[in-house]
Amino acid sequence: MAISPPRTSTLAQRGPKRETLLKAIQMFQRSILATAAVLAFTATTAHAGEVEVLHYWTSGGEAKSAAALKATLQGKGHTWKDFAVAGGGGDNAMTVLKSRVVSGNAPAAAQIKGPALQEWAAEGVLANIDDVAKAEKWDSLLPPVVANVMKYKGNYIAAPVNVHRVNWLWASNAAFKKAGAKVPTNWDEFFVAAEALKKAGIIPVAHGGQNWQDFTTFESVALGVGGADFYKKALVQLDQTALTGATMTKVLDTFKKVKTYTDKNAPGRDWNLATAMVIKGEAGMQLMGDWAKGEFVAAGKKPGTDFSCVAAPGTAKSFTFNVDSFAMFKLKNEDNVKAQKDLASAIMSNDFQEVFNLNKGSIPVRLNMNLAKFDDCAKLSSNDFVATAKNGGLVPSVAHGMAIGSATSGAIQDAVSQFWNDDKMSTKDAQAKIASAAKVK
Ligand code: BGC
């Protein structure tokens, strides 16, 4: 509709008629403004929907990252309904998700990753978001190893947000200085540093005694002691010879030795509280994925100056990847479907990938992004991601649901934690337990 204003030449007229005319013009202008306001309102609300998002990002750095996602969605005019379930590693969140889906009340999007995406898709509850992915050429924006995981029977059912590296060691520079110790690069050096920290009255290893954290430490020890090929055989292919062999025995002994350098308050501690101990210099080191860096950054700490990020001992040439992603559930309401697709598209955008990952501690999953604003830890991660993809050192994190199905990894995780917690269990028994857990389907 074209709206033309009245001819303004009449404004030049003098006398009583002029006032009447001015009034008429003012009324006309008001009505145009009112019409424009109605049109603008209709444009932003016609397709506004609501997206309920299940996630488990509740620590300092994580919450900032979740806020970036919320702001991006709201920027598109939609409503964000927060469905945060506290609990690192997402075990609690997955339990809650199951009950919601079973009762026919799935959220629009949920933080699900790795092979679990395929398990959910096989239940027939996930939505096909191929139209967004095709229009935005996701196939050319993602590493194939990631794109394949995001698809079920060739169609995208999830959108990835990042690449976390799990095999990191975080060290407090102040604690190491006080102890006169050197940040370790292999397990022998690790125990030398741990002894020095202990002598200086510092807790050598900040650990949170929760199953998934025990498993996170275990996988870094397995990678460092056994190397990438052993890791793949034992923890990805679940090869019984590797699981029952001498290398695994050495892995378990080393793993249990790490425990002797943790404090008595470790059981049940949240991972971010363990990171806080390193941030404050109360503890020297933490073995944890780079979501820990999100905590250092949120606390205003600088890599190099306040803390060091190095590959977990013996793993400099490997990379355990952990890709966070949002699976999209089938929805009925059309506006909500539109909002869900806008969320998927926003997740893959350049701007979002930058701001989200700067806070989260991870690196963008979208290829060829400019990393100028990222710190040295992220740059190292990015270089190593590319290098290890070429040399065979890139392996999926088993502790973070990237390598094997959830039933098997749950069983192995329980066996690993039992060994960590039970000081009477022998390495031999633990090894047998882990090997038989690997057979759980
Ligand atoms: C997730 C991260 C999260 C961490 C702690 C990992 O499994 O991939 O996004 O920050 O657990 O909850």
Side-chain angles (χ1 to χ4, degrees):
M1 177 180 56
I3 304 172
S4 14
R7 295 167 62 95
T8 50
S9 59
T10 48
L11 277 175
Q13 293 177 356
R14 305 247 162 226
K17 263 184 157 185
R18 190 173 168 258
E19 264 176 36
T20 326
L21 259 172
L22 275 174
K23 267 196 191 133
I25 290 168
Q26 278 165 355
M27 274 173 66
F28 183 78
Q29 282 174 332
R30 265 188 235 123
S31 89
I32 288 182
L33 286 176
T35 312
V38 168
L39 287 177
F41 181 73
T42 319
T44 51
T45 55
H47 297 296
E50 179 184 88
V51 192
E52 186 179 25
V53 185
L54 172 88
H55 63 92
Y56 46 93
W57 291 330
T58 53
S59 75
E62 290 177 335
K64 278 187 155 187
S65 319
L69 186 56
K70 178 179 173 180
T72 306
L73 183 80
Q74 287 173 333
K76 299 207 171 204
H78 302 299
T79 308
W80 166 280
K81 192 169 172 201
D82 202 43
F83 186 3
V85 180
D91 290 347
N92 297 346
M94 290 307 105
T95 309
V96 175
L97 177 64
K98 270 176 208 149
S99 68
R100 280 282 300 264
V101 178
V102 166
S103 62
N105 188 19
Q111 194 189 340
I112 303 177
K113 50 190 180 170
L117 285 168
Q118 312 298 313
E119 294 172 4
W120 280 102
E123 296 292 323
V125 289
L126 297 188
N128 180 343
I129 51 168
D130 241 15
D131 47 353
V132 181
K134 285 229 168 69
E136 296 179 1
K137 304 196 169 57
W138 287 10
D139 275 348
S140 63
L141 298 177
L142 291 171
V145 62
V146 175
N148 291 340
V149 179
M150 300 300 131
K151 292 179 189 172
Y152 179 66
K153 298 196 172 156
N155 299 314
Y156 278 92
I157 38 99
V161 288
N162 62 1
V163 180
H164 270 304
R165 184 184 200 176
V166 182
N167 59 315
W168 282 112
L169 177 80
W170 307 94
S172 153
N173 288 357
F176 270 75
K177 198 169 168 215
K178 187 171 170 210
K182 175 179 162 280
V183 177
T185 60
N186 59 43
W187 287 103
D188 288 340
E189 289 177 11
F190 177 88
F191 293 115
V192 170
E195 272 302 316
L197 288 159
K198 195 172 159 187
K199 282 208 182 82
I202 296 162
I203 297 164
V205 180
H207 184 73
Q210 296 171 346
N211 290 14
W212 72 273
Q213 294 187 63
D214 304 340
F215 204 17
T216 301
T217 298
F218 171 80
E219 101 174 5
S220 281
V221 174
L223 186 65
V225 170
D229 286 345
F230 165 78
Y231 179 99
K232 281 187 237 172
K233 274 206 190 91
L235 299 173
V236 183
Q237 292 148 24
L238 304 175
D239 175 292
Q240 284 291 320
T241 314
L243 286 164
T244 53
T247 306
M248 184 54 104
T249 311
K250 200 170 165 206
V251 167
L252 288 169
D253 286 339
T254 310
F255 173 61
K256 205 60 192 271
K257 193 170 170 194
V258 174
K259 188 190 170 189
T260 61
Y261 291 99
T262 62
D263 67 320
K264 65 173 188 349
N265 296 326
R269 177 188 285 139
D270 286 332
W271 67 271
N272 52 317
L273 300 182
T275 308
M277 291 163 67
V278 182
I279 291 176
K280 290 185 212 138
E282 290 167 12
M285 315 181 260
Q286 184 185 19
L287 287 154
M288 187 49 68
D290 43 21
W291 44 94
K293 197 190 75 191
E295 298 305 294
F296 283 98
V297 171
K301 302 294 176 194
K302 301 255 171 318
T305 316
D306 304 307
F307 67 96
S308 301
C309 56
V310 292
T315 70
K317 295 209 159 54
S318 308
F319 189 119
T320 30
F321 67 88
N322 170 24
V323 174
D324 284 315
S325 47
F326 282 94
M328 303 299 166
F329 281 83
K330 283 182 181 160
L331 300 175
K332 293 206 181 81
N333 178 302
E334 265 181 39
D335 288 344
N336 293 351
V337 169
K338 168 79 172 63
Q340 182 187 49
K341 288 189 176 164
D342 281 354
L343 178 74
S345 149
I347 282 175
M348 279 291 290
S349 70
N350 237 296
D351 290 355
F352 171 74
Q353 293 260 328
E354 182 179 82
V355 62
F356 177 87
N357 286 297
L358 282 170
N359 287 308
K360 190 73 176 67
S362 38
I363 54 171
V365 66
R366 187 181 161 125
L367 295 169
N368 304 322
M369 281 202 30
N370 181 343
L371 295 185
K373 290 195 188 143
F374 285 78
D375 61 28
D376 289 348
C377 307
K379 284 180 183 139
L380 176 65
S381 181
S382 174
N383 286 341
D384 287 355
F385 184 61
V386 175
T388 56
K390 289 182 191 141
N391 72 15
L394 184 64
V395 297
S397 164
V398 67
H400 292 274
M402 290 284 119
I404 55 181
S406 53
T408 324
S409 79
I412 300 178
Q413 172 173 288
D414 287 350
V416 164
S417 269
Q418 228 185 319
F419 177 52
W420 177 269
N421 288 308
D422 182 353
D423 287 339
K424 292 200 186 82
M425 187 186 275
S426 69
T427 302
K428 193 164 166 247
D429 286 353
Q431 193 164 354
K433 253 187 189 291
I434 291 169
S436 83
K439 292 182 191 153
V440 169
K441 290 262 182 310

